Amino acid sequence: MTRQPLLARLVTGLVLASLVLAACAPAATPTPTQAPQATQPPQATQPPAPTTAPEPTAAPAYEGMTYEAPDCDYGGEFKSIEAVDQYTVKFTLCAPDPAFPAKVAFSSFAINDADYLESTGGGGDLIEKPNGTGPYMLDTWERGNQIVFKRFDGYWGTPAIPETLIFRWSAESAQRLLELQAGTVDGIDNPGPDDFDVIEADPNLQLKKRSGTNVFYVGMNNTYPPFDNERVRQAFAMAIDKQRIVDNFYPAGSSVATQFIPPSIFGFTEEVTWWDYDPDMAKQILEEEGVLPGFKTTITYRDVVRGYLPNPGVVAQDLQAQLAAIGVEAEIVVMESGAFLDAADRGEINGFHLLGWGADYPDATNFLDFHFGEGASKQFGDGFPDIWAALKEGATKAKPEDRYPFYIQANELIKQHVPMIPIAHGGNGAAYKADVENAYASDIGAEQFALMNPGGRDTFVWLQNGEPAGLYCADETDGEALRACEQVMQSLLAYEIGTGTPIPSLATEYTANADLTEWTFTLRQGVKFHNGADLDANDVVLSYVVQWDAEHPLHVGRDGSFTYFPGLFGPFLNAPAE
């Protein structure tokens, strides 16, 4: 049966009821018939006004940050940083920089959540509680004991294989090897020179070697006499038997340094060689300059093993003996690692100091600009404008063949001025249990432990040389801190394992204009920080700005040096007067 609509049924019922009532009613008394009134035409029915659907509430427009220098006269590389939209960032530079992608891939330029940066005031929790986008997040840091990381389940990339990653440390290479042999750790950094053969002969262990992409040097600060005399510095360069040091205290694969930059890094120039070992001439010059007889000084170092300096204590003693042979009395001073690095950066170490450098990326700018460019720290005292000029020209040419002549010039000037004495490029490595899959030793000290499988165990324990001073790596330079940061934090780009080539990370792609002064990065969407915040372009802008602008209220850090930024990008904006 077909059912009528309810409204139609109600209307029909009312009509029938009216007819029934009319039929049953008494007849009406007739009345005189009135003339019918004129029928008024019905009013035209106005159609209802169309109903307008409420417009959806528009999402607030993205307010991108832009930070710009008034001009380029301040001497640095950055002109402006702009959040073009939510997922696009543009860097405008004051000069071309062909190495820009390699620089932004470095861990000191990792991206922080802008709100978290502001909440920490640029220091505080930022130093000990990093909030990154990486495969691991910080769980606990027991100062003096260990750092525990846990797998971040919200990671945008391939999840970490071990659920837990633990960093421990020991300054003694023998102790590190004993723990690896005992099975209490899964990997160790920098085995001692005498341990390489032991590890290779042990079927339960595996050795992964690094090439010597580093340099060990003896530094001098030219603001302290007699190191303010260039001829004196040249004499000390002749006084050290570098071959003797390498032969006696370095493992296989090491080599004598003939210049600051290693032979495998672009910027090494075979046309330039160092001062020949000539202790007699060194002594003669020191006597002519009034330094001898009677000169007393210090050799300052930190008792921490590095790939560039595997035996710091015995090397210091050998240098002490070599100086004594020409009549110089040198006292050995050992400092705590963090205090030593901070003092060196500030130019506070008189006498000789023992330091080194390992490649962060394979380009001359990482070695030469960082140490001898206009934005370098005060480690060697006052800089040399002629070196600055050569390095600036070398860094701003697009083609390697156009850059190379300026590095010949820079290396010749470094030899002439002798801000330091390059000693060795150290062969080194890492060792692992034999069952650790995907184990490797990064030439730039950037092992990604999330990729390693510790024999199916859910915890990977790494034993390195020392404890990080802090984990806000914008303001750290030590490899122990940088390696820890790299498990938690990420930069716009990353380095491909094995080659060091910049590859996508938080940015999926980048482009540059023809003269390499505008670099535009497209961010990966859907990336979460460990605190749940979403990555966007403003995070990138603020992460860079707080380093770039020395007057920014968040330019705080652990000690406020931010050494890498001026070392690679030139002077700070609003740099304090010296």
Side-chain angles (χ1 to χ4, degrees), residues 66-82 90-96 100 517-519 545 548 565 569 571 573:
T66 297
Y67 214 84
E68 186 169 8
D71 50 50
C72 290
D73 293 343
Y74 76 100
E77 182 170 313
F78 283 20
K79 179 67 171 66
S80 67
I81 313 174
E82 176 188 0
K90 184 170 78 171
F91 295 81
T92 301
L93 310 181
C94 293
F100 194 70
T517 57
E518 291 183 1
W519 294 83
V545 164
W548 175 27
F565 192 94
F569 297 122
L573 182 66

Side-chain angles (χ1 to χ4, degrees), residues 212-565:
T213 52
N214 58 51
V215 62
F216 162 55
Y217 59 85
V218 177
M220 299 167 282
N221 189 307
N222 63 27
T223 62
Y224 298 102
F227 302 104
D228 56 348
N229 183 329
E230 184 165 284
R231 196 159 181 254
V232 169
R233 297 195 302 272
Q234 291 171 354
F236 283 125
M238 302 174 197
I240 297 175
D241 185 350
K242 298 187 284 188
Q243 189 68 58
R244 164 176 147 177
I245 292 173
V246 171
D247 289 346
N248 288 303
F249 310 118
Y250 277 77
S254 304
S255 61
V256 169
T258 60
Q259 53 193 265
F260 190 81
I261 197 165
S264 61
I265 302 293
F266 174 78
F268 176 86
T269 55
E270 60 184 12
E271 295 87 347
V272 181
T273 58
W274 198 249
W275 300 95
D276 291 333
Y277 173 55
D278 191 343
D280 294 333
M281 178 59 70
K283 185 174 182 179
Q284 178 182 325
I285 293 172
L286 294 176
E287 289 172 343
E288 291 172 356
E289 296 299 322
V291 176
L292 291 178
F295 179 55
K296 296 181 180 181
T297 188
T298 55
I299 299 172
T300 304
Y301 73 96
R302 53 179 180 157
D303 194 15
V304 176
V305 172
R306 288 293 180 268
Y308 55 74
L309 184 54
N311 287 298
V314 294
V315 169
Q317 292 169 11
D318 191 78
L319 287 168
Q320 182 185 46
Q322 292 196 40
L323 291 171
I326 62 168
V328 174
E329 182 180 340
E331 176 190 359
I332 292 177
V333 177
V334 183
M335 292 182 64
E336 186 276 327
S337 179
F340 171 77
L341 293 174
D342 293 344
D345 269 351
R346 292 193 292 262
E348 296 173 353
I349 299 180
N350 194 352
F352 300 103
H353 64 272
L354 310 186
L355 244 178
W357 190 254
D360 300 310
Y361 58 88
D363 189 80
T365 54
N366 181 233
F367 279 80
L368 301 184
D369 291 53
F370 183 87
H371 292 88
F372 312 113
E374 188 174 1
S377 76
K378 305 302 291 182
Q379 179 186 168
F380 306 126
D382 296 330
F384 302 94
D386 52 356
I387 297 179
W388 298 348
L391 293 179
K392 186 172 184 179
E393 290 294 329
T396 55
K397 299 291 184 291
K399 297 179 180 179
E401 59 267 29
D402 295 334
R403 302 176 69 193
Y404 190 80
F406 295 102
Y407 292 118
I408 295 176
Q409 182 181 353
N411 287 325
E412 287 174 340
L413 290 168
I414 291 169
K415 175 184 177 180
Q416 173 190 327
H417 295 311
V418 197
M420 52 78 237
I421 305 165
I423 304 294
H425 304 300
N428 63 97
Y432 298 88
K433 289 180 180 177
D435 66 354
V436 175
E437 300 175 5
N438 308 323
Y440 71 102
S442 168
D443 279 346
I444 59 175
E447 290 82 8
Q448 294 295 318
F449 299 108
L451 305 175
M452 300 185 193
N453 183 350
R457 298 177 292 278
D458 60 6
T459 299
F460 187 103
V461 182
W462 171 253
L463 186 61
Q464 60 182 23
N465 309 313
E467 181 174 14
L471 291 180
Y472 178 33
C473 280
D475 197 22
E476 299 295 338
T477 59
D478 189 47
E480 312 294 17
L482 298 175
R483 182 186 283 112
C485 288
E486 285 154 0
Q487 314 308 314
V488 174
M489 308 297 297
Q490 293 180 303
S491 303
L492 289 173
L493 303 177
Y495 300 116
E496 184 179 46
I497 295 173
T499 69
T501 302
I503 59 174
S505 182
L506 294 184
T508 57
E509 60 182 6
Y510 62 91
T511 59
N513 64 354
D515 64 0
L516 306 182
T517 57
E518 291 183 1
W519 294 83
T520 303
F521 293 80
T522 302
L523 300 186
R524 191 180 300 276
Q525 298 188 27
V527 174
K528 294 281 187 182
F529 287 95
H530 297 159
N531 66 354
D534 294 308
L535 171 73
D536 66 25
N538 283 343
D539 298 319
V540 178
V541 174
L542 191 61
S543 294
Y544 274 85
V545 164
V546 299
Q547 296 192 56
W548 175 27
D549 186 356
E551 289 187 352
H552 196 282
L554 301 182
H555 186 85
V556 178
R558 184 178 61 81
D559 76 344
S561 296
F562 295 95
T563 307
Y564 266 107
F565 192 94

